[in-house]
């Protein structure tokens, strides 16, 4: 075997390793997409739909754990009634979920 043949074998082996590296890189991109990017974007879309769908009378819970009933919806804020004579003005983005109707009544009884 001469020097030329040895160099040719090394170049051939390096080319196939390059394709293997690209395959691994593509696999990592797919893993990141399906495990991180896609679920986060899905949650963001659901939260935007929640904020857009807020209406007077909805029972909500905020990110801070405050539970109340929406009494007024403004552009970026909502007024949430948390007691008979107390309303809080909160950002729409702080509302984390809507509750089923009647949840507040069962919480007050308990």
């Amino acid at each position: 075997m001469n020097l030329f043949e040895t160099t040719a074998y090394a170049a051939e082996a390096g080319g196939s390793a390059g394709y293997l590296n690209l395959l691994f890189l593509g696999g990592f991109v797919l893993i990141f997409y399906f495990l991180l990017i896609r679920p986060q974007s899905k949650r963001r879309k659901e939260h935007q739909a929640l904020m857009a769908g807020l209406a007077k009378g909805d029972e909500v819970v905020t990110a801070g754990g405050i539970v109340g009933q929406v009494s007024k919806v403004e552009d970026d804020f909502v007024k949430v009634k948390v007691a008979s004579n107390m309303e809080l003005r909160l950002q729409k983005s702080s509302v984390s979920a809507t509750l089923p109707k009647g949840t507040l009544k069962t919480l007050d009884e308990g």
Side-chain angles (χ1 to χ4, degrees), residues 30-86:
L30 285 175
I31 288 171
F32 275 113
Y33 176 75
F34 282 110
L35 293 179
L36 297 174
I37 297 169
R38 187 170 178 246
Q40 183 177 3
S41 116
K42 188 176 178 183
R43 279 191 302 268
R44 182 177 37 88
K45 286 180 185 178
E46 288 173 354
H47 190 255
Q48 286 176 345
L50 170 77
M51 290 188 309
L54 285 176
K56 183 177 178 179
D58 286 346
E59 296 177 2
V60 296
V61 61
T62 67
I66 297 172
V67 179
Q69 187 174 25
V70 175
S71 60
K72 184 177 180 184
V73 179
E74 300 170 352
D75 288 337
D76 294 328
F77 296 93
V78 291
K79 282 189 176 179
V80 178
K81 185 176 180 181
V82 294
S84 61
N85 58 355
M86 181 184 288

